[in-house]
Structure formats: C-alpha cells, structure tokens
Amino acid sequence: MSPFRLPLKSGVQTFGTGLFGGLPGLFNDSLPDGWGRLLFDQSMRAEGFLPEEFSPLDRLAYIGQTGMGALSYEPDFSEAPEREQIDLDWLAAQSVDVLEVEADEVLAELLALNGYSAGARPKALIGFDGKQGQIAHGAGALGNNYEPWLVKFANLPDGPDAGAIEFAYAEMARRSGIEIPETHLFIAVKGEGYFATKRFDRDGSKHLHMHRACGLLHSDFRTPSIDYQDLLDLTSLLTRDVRETEKIFRLAVFNVLAHNRDDHSKNFSFLMNEAGDCRPLMI
C-alpha cells in the first residue's frame, strides 16, 4: 500500500516525529490539515479538551470510517449524521462563521460533512442526486439515487468568484486532454458558485486506495521539496506505464502555462483499484 517508506516486510518500523508526528506517510494521508484540522481542534475545545492532548493515533480514531481513500480505523469515534437534505448556501455561511469566530453549535455537523478531507478551503462530502437536483449528507452510506461528491467553499481571502474560477480551470484542463473527474458548479442564491468534483476515491460503493505524493515520499508539502521530474519518476515506478507518465507531463505543462501555483506534493495523488492497478489522479 506504500512501497517506498512502508514496504511489506517483517520487523518493527519506526518513523521520526518531526514530519508526521511518528506516523508513516500512508496513515498521515488520512489526517486533515487546514480546514479539517481547524474544525477538529475547535470541536475538541468546545468539549473542554485541548487539541495538543490528542496524539496522531487519537485523531485517526476520530476519522474511523469517514476518511478519504480506502483506509478505515478502529476504534471508530467518528459521528456520521443521519442522511438528510442540506443547503449549500447555509453550509457556506456557517463555514465563514467558523473562520471568523468560533461557532460551537455547528462544529459537529461541519466536522462530519468534511470527512477529514485535506486542504485549506472549507469542504463538504455530499450525496448528489442529479436527476432530482437534491443534495444530502455524504459522509455515510448513500441511497441508490445519490452519488458521492466533494464540494468546496470560499476561504476568507478568496473572492466571491473563487468557485467559478476553479470550475473554469477544470474545464480548460479537460479541453487540454487531461483526464479529470466529473466537475460541477453549484449556483448560489447570491450568484456565487460552489465548485464540486465527483469523488475520485469512490467507484460506486467501492473504496479506492489513495496515496498522496507527500505521504509516498515523506515530503513536507509546506516547503518546496520535490519537482516535476520527481513526479515523473514516481509515476513511472508506481504504474510501470509510460502512458501514465505522459499524463503527468501533460498536467505539468498545463500547470506551468495556466500559472497554477498550487501544485505542491499534497495535490498529487495516486489511486489503486482492488486488482492492484495504479494510476495518477488528475485534479
């Protein structure tokens, strides 16, 4: 599942505490950063705990069955809400409240909806019924008519058109021949839009194993530590398929020409199906 830093072999393997708090990158990939970590820390403070009291293993227990990718953790302390219809405009407004001030009354719901996805911008895992145009909680099991999607909301420094801009970039990438998951722009009441992508770590009810370049290589995504040549080599080693390596090269060219400056090591991932076939994730 992680061939470079956590190979399948006998014996005890240890990891320094400096980068991932003692975890191998495989399991650190399950932990949130940015928005997800903010929600968890504020939620724990609201319950009378200090965030520093929770070790990385404690945090994995709160992820339980709700994390991205195929990994799940026991004991499972996660709390998935009952599936019900949700309002994206309301979620966006509540996300702003959490960023500006502590809003204890909505922390639990936002935390469950986040699904411990990574990144600085607020996100929610939703179930989307395209035929009926209905949106439901997507952290748990979904009904037959719902598909798993991930929707993003604007961060405080973002402008009101951040979602529309990201959607435009996705369309440019698609028209450039880059294979990316299905995307959608949910229109807000105020005219803004929420960028959404069909969940890339799900194939129907199947959970796909996902591993970020950051965790694969034990690379600190906060500092410039790898370049596109490293990604090309990594893709070649993992997939053993020159066609997949060419996809990464095409994506690299697009990012350079489109002035995408958010291409750090946590934004490049690889998916593996149950047959063990691996491919890079283009998003």
Side-chain angles (χ1 to χ4, degrees), residues 1 70 207-211 270-279:
M1 292 188 296
H207 294 207
L208 301 179
H209 176 44
M210 183 178 75
H211 208 346
F270 295 83
L271 294 175
M272 186 174 71
N273 62 20
E274 57 189 9
D277 299 322
C278 182
R279 62 181 175 86

Side-chain angles (χ1 to χ4, degrees), residues 5-24:
R5 299 294 185 169
L6 191 64
L8 190 61
K9 65 179 183 180
S10 61
V12 175
Q13 300 182 56
T14 60
F15 304 87
T17 59
L19 184 57
F20 298 140
L23 291 177

Side-chain angles (χ1 to χ4, degrees), residues 217 219 224-233 248 263 265 268:
L217 300 175
S219 166
S225 52
I226 66 173
D227 58 20
Y228 279 120
Q229 184 61 57
D230 296 316
L231 285 173
L232 291 168
D233 293 340
I248 287 291
D263 51 349
S265 62
F268 294 94

Side-chain angles (χ1 to χ4, degrees), residues 53 71 79 104 170 189 208 221 247 270 283:
E53 296 176 356
L71 298 181
E79 295 183 6
D104 296 347
V189 171
L208 301 179
F221 75 98
K247 292 177 183 178
F270 295 83
I283 185 65

Side-chain angles (χ1 to χ4, degrees), residues 198-212:
K198 195 171 182 179
R199 284 188 64 175
F200 34 80
D201 62 330
R202 297 291 185 265
D203 182 8
S205 60
K206 295 180 180 179
H207 294 207
L208 301 179
H209 176 44
M210 183 178 75
H211 208 346
R212 297 184 177 93

